[in-house]
Amino acid sequence: MADRIGIMGGTFDPVHIGHMIMASFAADEFKLDKVIFVPNGNPPHKKVNCGKMQRLDMTYLAANSNPKFSVSDFEISKQGYCYTIDTVRHFKQNGDKIFFIIGADSFYDLTKWNRFDLLVRECAFIAFDRIDSMHENIVSDIEEFNKKYGAEICYAKMPFIDVSSTLIRKRVSEGKSIKYLTCESVENYIFEHNLYSEKEE
């Protein structure tokens, strides 16, 4: 039987509670059988601050408490750049339906994604908007987008969680607490491995 599979991509540098809440909401709201976290290996448009195996380790630590969550090293293990279209095709088997989970800001950049025209045929997207969002017209924008490109973008809302990987790295470099901003196991890993202790340029 085909599954409904959510994919959460990202650098996860480090993974934080916002990622976990988004994945959990997606699983509930769209009746997903599982959500796979896929840390980027060599993201083409983003600088990373710690090694890919460390980011993979932290993602495993965060995901292992939820039986619906799993982690894949598909992108981490590839040489060179790996694009979303490659990841979606890798996981799309036996008629499974793929939902790629993104934030509202990413929705507005979708047409810039590699092989965008093929990507929207291969998977659906769940675009999460924050409750306090400034995207006043996002629902109508999604409807128009779906009609124009034959896409399936599903609108979803989640609580305003003002946590980011950048904030966590900054607080660590300043010697401040990151408790409750990420999972305790990830917090412990960061300090055990002395990650993010230097301020970013």
Side-chain angles (χ1 to χ4, degrees):
M1 182 180 291
D3 285 337
R4 294 167 66 85
I5 300 173
I7 296 179
M8 281 278 293
T11 53
F12 303 126
D13 190 22
V15 62
H16 56 70
I17 60 165
H19 297 128
M20 311 313 293
I21 292 170
M22 183 182 287
S24 179
F25 271 52
D28 285 343
E29 295 297 318
F30 295 91
K31 296 179 171 54
L32 304 181
D33 296 292
K34 56 186 172 181
V35 176
I36 305 171
F37 288 76
V38 186
N40 304 147
N42 301 291
H45 306 301
K46 199 168 186 179
K47 175 191 171 186
V48 292
N49 294 272
C50 74
K52 56 186 180 181
M53 297 312 296
Q54 291 172 319
R55 293 185 287 108
L56 181 66
D57 286 346
M58 288 188 284
T59 310
Y60 273 120
L61 289 170
N64 68 10
S65 63
N66 189 320
K68 279 196 172 184
F69 292 173
S70 63
V71 180
S72 170
D73 67 354
F74 173 71
E75 292 192 10
I76 289 283
S77 63
K78 290 181 76 70
Q79 298 296 318
Y81 296 141
C82 183
Y83 295 94
T84 302
I85 184 71
D86 305 314
T87 302
V88 167
R89 285 176 170 171
H90 172 74
F91 289 107
K92 191 174 184 179
Q93 301 174 4
N94 305 316
D96 291 341
K97 181 158 186 177
I98 303 295
F99 294 82
F100 203 88
I101 304 166
I102 58 175
D105 291 343
S106 293
F107 159 68
Y108 284 103
D109 287 332
L110 265 183
T111 56
K112 300 175 185 175
W113 288 28
N114 183 264
R115 287 175 286 176
F116 154 77
D117 55 332
L118 298 178
L119 181 60
V120 295
R121 296 179 205 159
E122 295 279 357
C123 72
F125 286 83
I126 300 172
F128 270 98
D129 201 22
R130 302 186 308 193
I131 284 172
D132 76 328
S133 174
M134 300 300 291
H135 300 114
E136 294 179 2
N137 301 315
I138 187 170
V139 174
S140 59
D141 289 344
I142 286 175
E143 289 175 355
E144 183 178 329
F145 186 97
N146 286 340
K147 288 178 184 176
K148 181 176 181 179
Y149 295 106
E152 184 181 355
I153 314 294
C154 308
Y155 175 72
K157 290 189 84 70
M158 66 178 288
F160 174 47
I161 310 289
D162 194 15
V163 175
S164 67
S165 299
T166 302
L167 172 66
I168 291 174
R169 295 195 303 268
K170 183 174 185 292
R171 289 184 66 84
V172 172
S173 73
E174 294 172 348
K176 295 178 179 177
S177 172
I178 57 169
K179 191 171 291 294
Y180 314 120
L181 301 180
T182 186
C183 306
E184 185 176 4
S185 55
V186 173
E187 177 189 6
N188 291 338
Y189 185 97
I190 288 170
F191 290 111
E192 286 169 8
H193 292 80
N194 196 33
L195 303 181
Y196 313 124
S197 57
E198 296 182 6
K199 291 190 176 182
E200 297 174 27
E201 294 293 330

